[in-house]
Amino acid sequence: MSKTEMTAGEVWDSLVEGNDRFVSGRPHHPHQTPERRGELVGEQTPHAAILGCSDSRVPAEIVFDCGLGDLFVVRNIGQVVNETVIATMEFAVVALGVPLIVVKAHTSCGAVAATIEQSGSTPPDTTPAIRNALDLIRPAVAEEWLSAPRASHVVDAELIDANSAGRRHVRRMIAELTSRSEVIAEAVDQGKVSIVGCQYDLNHGRTVPVTSVGALNI
């Protein structure tokens, strides 16, 4: 049993219930009291690790109606998997014993849109650091573009489904986590950790499952 004393299925169910409360406009805002702060001074036992996009519209604690100490969160543009993310997720698994990792994308993602622009005929200027991050999204954009017959590998932003590319990117980032981290891959194989990929809908506030890895079958 994890340090949270919850299974991956129980954790996912609690996140779905929290998202339901958020969508309905009746959040509970749990674990946000001075007493809760005091309880967490000596330790933390989050029940899920979240890799999400830095977009200001999609904070995990709010969309899942969670509070202090509930989620172990790392965010960057386009929820890309890099060395820092892998280290963070490994810490969540090894030191904190989380049974569930969630990779959370969202619709109308600026990072995906920027990657599509970079994959077009006239890519706009950007910084080297941003370009490096977008390069991790580029394979999903190319895969989505070439999923239909095309006369050219050059992506046309008017013809590609950006949200579908975002879902492909989620699957690829989960594959990156399990292929680049022996710790996470072994935890999944041993049934200690499950991974869920999902996409948050900006219009409705609903977080929709895309894929899952491990014992938890979404």
Side-chain angles (χ1 to χ4, degrees), residues 97-117:
V98 299
L100 181 67
I101 294 173
V102 177
V103 178
K104 182 172 70 66
H106 64 94
T107 59
S108 302
C109 179
V112 173
T115 305
I116 291 172
E117 291 180 347

PDB file of all heavy atoms in Angstrom, residues 97-117:
ATOM      1  N   GLY A  97       5.734   7.746  -2.360  1.00  0.00           N
ATOM      2  CA  GLY A  97       4.883   6.571  -2.510  1.00  0.00           C
ATOM      3  C   GLY A  97       3.554   6.813  -3.182  1.00  0.00           C
ATOM      4  O   GLY A  97       2.572   6.129  -2.880  1.00  0.00           O
ATOM      5  N   VAL A  98       3.503   7.769  -4.108  1.00  0.00           N
ATOM      6  CA  VAL A  98       2.223   8.015  -4.781  1.00  0.00           C
ATOM      7  C   VAL A  98       1.858   6.821  -5.656  1.00  0.00           C
ATOM      8  O   VAL A  98       2.717   6.240  -6.316  1.00  0.00           O
ATOM      9  CB  VAL A  98       2.251   9.299  -5.641  1.00  0.00           C
ATOM     10  CG1 VAL A  98       2.536  10.520  -4.800  1.00  0.00           C
ATOM     11  CG2 VAL A  98       3.244   9.181  -6.777  1.00  0.00           C
ATOM     12  N   PRO A  99       0.591   6.423  -5.679  1.00  0.00           N
ATOM     13  CA  PRO A  99       0.171   5.307  -6.522  1.00  0.00           C
ATOM     14  C   PRO A  99      -0.266   5.733  -7.915  1.00  0.00           C
ATOM     15  O   PRO A  99      -0.519   4.893  -8.768  1.00  0.00           O
ATOM     16  CB  PRO A  99      -1.012   4.735  -5.752  1.00  0.00           C
ATOM     17  CG  PRO A  99      -1.625   5.937  -5.098  1.00  0.00           C
ATOM     18  CD  PRO A  99      -0.469   6.850  -4.761  1.00  0.00           C
ATOM     19  N   LEU A 100      -0.366   7.055  -8.149  1.00  0.00           N
ATOM     20  CA  LEU A 100      -0.909   7.536  -9.421  1.00  0.00           C
ATOM     21  C   LEU A 100      -0.132   8.733  -9.927  1.00  0.00           C
ATOM     22  O   LEU A 100       0.125   9.683  -9.177  1.00  0.00           O
ATOM     23  CB  LEU A 100      -2.381   7.927  -9.259  1.00  0.00           C
ATOM     24  CG  LEU A 100      -3.097   8.438 -10.517  1.00  0.00           C
ATOM     25  CD1 LEU A 100      -3.234   7.335 -11.550  1.00  0.00           C
ATOM     26  CD2 LEU A 100      -4.468   9.015 -10.164  1.00  0.00           C
ATOM     27  N   ILE A 101       0.236   8.673 -11.207  1.00  0.00           N
ATOM     28  CA  ILE A 101       0.792   9.815 -11.928  1.00  0.00           C
ATOM     29  C   ILE A 101      -0.223  10.228 -12.981  1.00  0.00           C
ATOM     30  O   ILE A 101      -0.770   9.384 -13.689  1.00  0.00           O
ATOM     31  CB  ILE A 101       2.125   9.455 -12.606  1.00  0.00           C
ATOM     32  CG1 ILE A 101       3.201   9.142 -11.563  1.00  0.00           C
ATOM     33  CG2 ILE A 101       2.597  10.586 -13.525  1.00  0.00           C
ATOM     34  CD1 ILE A 101       4.497   8.618 -12.165  1.00  0.00           C
ATOM     35  N   VAL A 102      -0.477  11.518 -13.067  1.00  0.00           N
ATOM     36  CA  VAL A 102      -1.401  12.041 -14.070  1.00  0.00           C
ATOM     37  C   VAL A 102      -0.661  13.015 -14.977  1.00  0.00           C
ATOM     38  O   VAL A 102       0.006  13.935 -14.488  1.00  0.00           O
ATOM     39  CB  VAL A 102      -2.603  12.761 -13.412  1.00  0.00           C
ATOM     40  CG1 VAL A 102      -3.520  13.360 -14.489  1.00  0.00           C
ATOM     41  CG2 VAL A 102      -3.386  11.808 -12.518  1.00  0.00           C
ATOM     42  N   VAL A 103      -0.742  12.791 -16.270  1.00  0.00           N
ATOM     43  CA  VAL A 103      -0.204  13.734 -17.257  1.00  0.00           C
ATOM     44  C   VAL A 103      -1.406  14.464 -17.847  1.00  0.00           C
ATOM     45  O   VAL A 103      -2.247  13.853 -18.517  1.00  0.00           O
ATOM     46  CB  VAL A 103       0.601  13.017 -18.357  1.00  0.00           C
ATOM     47  CG1 VAL A 103       1.106  14.022 -19.392  1.00  0.00           C
ATOM     48  CG2 VAL A 103       1.780  12.253 -17.742  1.00  0.00           C
ATOM     49  N   LYS A 104      -1.504  15.762 -17.566  1.00  0.00           N
ATOM     50  CA  LYS A 104      -2.724  16.520 -17.873  1.00  0.00           C
ATOM     51  C   LYS A 104      -2.455  17.601 -18.916  1.00  0.00           C
ATOM     52  O   LYS A 104      -1.782  18.588 -18.650  1.00  0.00           O
ATOM     53  CB  LYS A 104      -3.270  17.157 -16.597  1.00  0.00           C
ATOM     54  CG  LYS A 104      -4.581  17.922 -16.805  1.00  0.00           C
ATOM     55  CD  LYS A 104      -5.163  18.366 -15.474  1.00  0.00           C
ATOM     56  CE  LYS A 104      -4.357  19.442 -14.816  1.00  0.00           C
ATOM     57  NZ  LYS A 104      -4.385  20.717 -15.591  1.00  0.00           N
ATOM     58  N   ALA A 105      -2.994  17.385 -20.112  1.00  0.00           N
ATOM     59  CA  ALA A 105      -2.952  18.392 -21.168  1.00  0.00           C
ATOM     60  C   ALA A 105      -4.223  19.245 -21.095  1.00  0.00           C
ATOM     61  O   ALA A 105      -5.045  19.075 -20.191  1.00  0.00           O
ATOM     62  CB  ALA A 105      -2.848  17.710 -22.525  1.00  0.00           C
ATOM     63  N   HIS A 106      -4.380  20.139 -22.038  1.00  0.00           N
ATOM     64  CA  HIS A 106      -5.625  20.917 -22.098  1.00  0.00           C
ATOM     65  C   HIS A 106      -5.882  21.356 -23.532  1.00  0.00           C
ATOM     66  O   HIS A 106      -4.961  21.410 -24.358  1.00  0.00           O
ATOM     67  CB  HIS A 106      -5.580  22.127 -21.161  1.00  0.00           C
ATOM     68  CG  HIS A 106      -4.534  23.150 -21.531  1.00  0.00           C
ATOM     69  ND1 HIS A 106      -4.808  24.238 -22.322  1.00  0.00           N
ATOM     70  CD2 HIS A 106      -3.223  23.240 -21.220  1.00  0.00           C
ATOM     71  CE1 HIS A 106      -3.720  24.963 -22.469  1.00  0.00           C
ATOM     72  NE2 HIS A 106      -2.747  24.377 -21.814  1.00  0.00           N
ATOM     73  N   THR A 107      -7.132  21.664 -23.822  1.00  0.00           N
ATOM     74  CA  THR A 107      -7.493  22.141 -25.152  1.00  0.00           C
ATOM     75  C   THR A 107      -6.959  23.560 -25.352  1.00  0.00           C
ATOM     76  O   THR A 107      -6.643  24.265 -24.396  1.00  0.00           O
ATOM     77  CB  THR A 107      -9.017  22.133 -25.350  1.00  0.00           C
ATOM     78  OG1 THR A 107      -9.623  22.970 -24.346  1.00  0.00           O
ATOM     79  CG2 THR A 107      -9.580  20.720 -25.224  1.00  0.00           C
ATOM     80  N   SER A 108      -6.866  23.954 -26.602  1.00  0.00           N
ATOM     81  CA  SER A 108      -6.373  25.295 -26.967  1.00  0.00           C
ATOM     82  C   SER A 108      -5.028  25.594 -26.318  1.00  0.00           C
ATOM     83  O   SER A 108      -4.794  26.689 -25.806  1.00  0.00           O
ATOM     84  CB  SER A 108      -7.399  26.367 -26.569  1.00  0.00           C
ATOM     85  OG  SER A 108      -8.642  26.138 -27.179  1.00  0.00           O
ATOM     86  N   CYS A 109      -4.144  24.612 -26.347  1.00  0.00           N
ATOM     87  CA  CYS A 109      -2.837  24.757 -25.711  1.00  0.00           C
ATOM     88  C   CYS A 109      -1.928  25.656 -26.546  1.00  0.00           C
ATOM     89  O   CYS A 109      -1.704  25.401 -27.735  1.00  0.00           O
ATOM     90  CB  CYS A 109      -2.189  23.384 -25.526  1.00  0.00           C
ATOM     91  SG  CYS A 109      -0.555  23.438 -24.759  1.00  0.00           S
ATOM     92  N   GLY A 110      -1.394  26.700 -25.934  1.00  0.00           N
ATOM     93  CA  GLY A 110      -0.525  27.619 -26.644  1.00  0.00           C
ATOM     94  C   GLY A 110       0.768  26.971 -27.094  1.00  0.00           C
ATOM     95  O   GLY A 110       1.318  27.318 -28.152  1.00  0.00           O
ATOM     96  N   ALA A 111       1.269  26.016 -26.299  1.00  0.00           N
ATOM     97  CA  ALA A 111       2.516  25.345 -26.672  1.00  0.00           C
ATOM     98  C   ALA A 111       2.314  24.474 -27.908  1.00  0.00           C
ATOM     99  O   ALA A 111       3.182  24.422 -28.790  1.00  0.00           O
ATOM    100  CB  ALA A 111       3.017  24.502 -25.507  1.00  0.00           C
ATOM    101  N   VAL A 112       1.183  23.800 -27.986  1.00  0.00           N
ATOM    102  CA  VAL A 112       0.882  22.997 -29.175  1.00  0.00           C
ATOM    103  C   VAL A 112       0.701  23.913 -30.383  1.00  0.00           C
ATOM    104  O   VAL A 112       1.222  23.636 -31.469  1.00  0.00           O
ATOM    105  CB  VAL A 112      -0.371  22.127 -28.955  1.00  0.00           C
ATOM    106  CG1 VAL A 112      -0.788  21.433 -30.255  1.00  0.00           C
ATOM    107  CG2 VAL A 112      -0.122  21.096 -27.866  1.00  0.00           C
ATOM    108  N   ALA A 113      -0.026  25.017 -30.191  1.00  0.00           N
ATOM    109  CA  ALA A 113      -0.228  25.971 -31.293  1.00  0.00           C
ATOM    110  C   ALA A 113       1.107  26.528 -31.776  1.00  0.00           C
ATOM    111  O   ALA A 113       1.336  26.669 -32.991  1.00  0.00           O
ATOM    112  CB  ALA A 113      -1.149  27.097 -30.843  1.00  0.00           C
ATOM    113  N   ALA A 114       1.994  26.835 -30.839  1.00  0.00           N
ATOM    114  CA  ALA A 114       3.303  27.363 -31.217  1.00  0.00           C
ATOM    115  C   ALA A 114       4.129  26.313 -31.958  1.00  0.00           C
ATOM    116  O   ALA A 114       4.869  26.640 -32.897  1.00  0.00           O
ATOM    117  CB  ALA A 114       4.049  27.831 -29.974  1.00  0.00           C
ATOM    118  N   THR A 115       3.996  25.049 -31.556  1.00  0.00           N
ATOM    119  CA  THR A 115       4.710  23.975 -32.249  1.00  0.00           C
ATOM    120  C   THR A 115       4.194  23.807 -33.665  1.00  0.00           C
ATOM    121  O   THR A 115       4.967  23.568 -34.605  1.00  0.00           O
ATOM    122  CB  THR A 115       4.558  22.654 -31.481  1.00  0.00           C
ATOM    123  OG1 THR A 115       4.992  22.836 -30.134  1.00  0.00           O
ATOM    124  CG2 THR A 115       5.378  21.551 -32.125  1.00  0.00           C
ATOM    125  N   ILE A 116       2.896  23.943 -33.833  1.00  0.00           N
ATOM    126  CA  ILE A 116       2.315  23.881 -35.177  1.00  0.00           C
ATOM    127  C   ILE A 116       2.872  25.010 -36.038  1.00  0.00           C
ATOM    128  O   ILE A 116       3.234  24.806 -37.206  1.00  0.00           O
ATOM    129  CB  ILE A 116       0.775  23.943 -35.094  1.00  0.00           C
ATOM    130  CG1 ILE A 116       0.230  22.646 -34.474  1.00  0.00           C
ATOM    131  CG2 ILE A 116       0.165  24.196 -36.470  1.00  0.00           C
ATOM    132  CD1 ILE A 116      -1.241  22.674 -34.170  1.00  0.00           C
ATOM    133  N   GLU A 117       2.980  26.202 -35.459  1.00  0.00           N
ATOM    134  CA  GLU A 117       3.556  27.327 -36.205  1.00  0.00           C
ATOM    135  C   GLU A 117       5.014  27.045 -36.571  1.00  0.00           C
ATOM    136  O   GLU A 117       5.456  27.349 -37.691  1.00  0.00           O
ATOM    137  CB  GLU A 117       3.470  28.609 -35.370  1.00  0.00           C
ATOM    138  CG  GLU A 117       2.064  29.136 -35.182  1.00  0.00           C
ATOM    139  CD  GLU A 117       2.046  30.409 -34.356  1.00  0.00           C
ATOM    140  OE1 GLU A 117       3.086  30.718 -33.734  1.00  0.00           O
ATOM    141  OE2 GLU A 117       1.017  31.097 -34.340  1.00  0.00           O
TER     142      GLU A 117
END
